[in-house]
Amino acid sequence: MHVALLQPSDAPRYRLLMLEAYELATDAFTSTAEERVAEPESFWVRRIADPSGMSMAFGAFAGQELVGTVALEFSAKPKTRHKAHVIGMYVVPRARGTGAGRALIEACIRYASGKEGILVLNLTVTEGNAPAVGLYQSAGFVAFGTEPMAVSTPGGFRAKVHMQRVIARGDVA
């Protein structure tokens, strides 16, 4: 298992992985597969390797197979430039428990700690997703609030737990 920054050439397989994520983990995402399937390739390239540097993504690979991903989004606004948002975390079911999720979140922490001006990482996780909450807590994230009715799902409304991790230069989980 290895983790690497995704490149524009990875966009087709990143798209397939995320469409699977939207289908299999519907409660975890605010987007749906139906919304995203129509997006052009340029959307997926921007998500993983935005030329402006405002978003990028890591991939977890088992050999050459992309088995997990997570993205970081940065803000251009002066008052929020100190924060990065962890989004789109997904590991295929067969690769869970292999350390892929931990390696992805650690890659985010290392990247953010080396980026000038980033002081905190924020993320949201669907309430009740104990494995994800446990992973994030073990990587130093702390819950700071819960948004009720954050996502409307076929099973009803789901809350999102907001979590944050303070970044220090050279930080590694």
Side-chain angles (χ1 to χ4, degrees):
M1 177 78 53
H2 73 280
V3 171
L5 275 172
L6 294 178
Q7 302 300 314
S9 60
D10 293 311
R13 61 182 165 174
Y14 174 74
R15 176 184 179 271
L16 288 174
L17 182 71
M18 289 309 298
L19 291 176
E20 174 184 316
Y22 299 135
E23 286 288 334
L24 298 181
T26 58
D27 290 359
F29 299 98
T30 57
S31 297
T32 66
E34 293 79 19
E35 287 175 89
R36 294 298 194 209
V37 74
E39 294 288 358
E41 184 172 332
S42 61
F43 167 86
W44 302 100
V45 170
R46 236 181 2 267
R47 174 61 85 70
I48 64 174
D50 185 352
S52 72
M54 299 312 288
S55 68
M56 43 75 59
F58 293 97
F61 295 87
Q64 296 300 310
E65 182 187 7
L66 181 63
V67 296
T69 189
V70 66
L72 283 172
E73 284 189 342
F74 303 98
S75 176
K77 295 180 177 186
K79 292 183 178 182
T80 58
R81 278 191 200 142
H82 64 287
K83 299 185 288 185
H85 296 276
V86 177
I87 61 168
M89 173 71 126
Y90 181 72
V91 175
V92 298
R94 67 187 171 285
R96 293 178 189 161
T98 66
R102 172 156 307 283
L104 287 165
I105 201 68
E106 287 176 354
C108 286
I109 294 166
R110 276 192 304 275
Y111 188 92
S113 71
K115 188 164 173 70
E116 184 66 33
I118 300 298
L119 303 176
V120 294
L121 284 175
N122 287 335
L123 61 82
T124 63
V125 60
T126 303
E127 189 173 54
N129 186 343
V133 170
L135 171 65
Y136 299 139
Q137 286 175 332
S138 72
F141 284 83
V142 177
F144 66 88
T146 301
E147 179 185 359
M149 296 178 64
V151 182
S152 177
T153 71
F157 288 103
R158 300 296 305 270
K160 287 284 189 176
V161 177
H162 292 258
M163 300 183 83
Q164 184 177 79
R165 186 190 196 284
V166 174
I167 297 296
R169 297 293 140 230
D171 214 348
V172 179

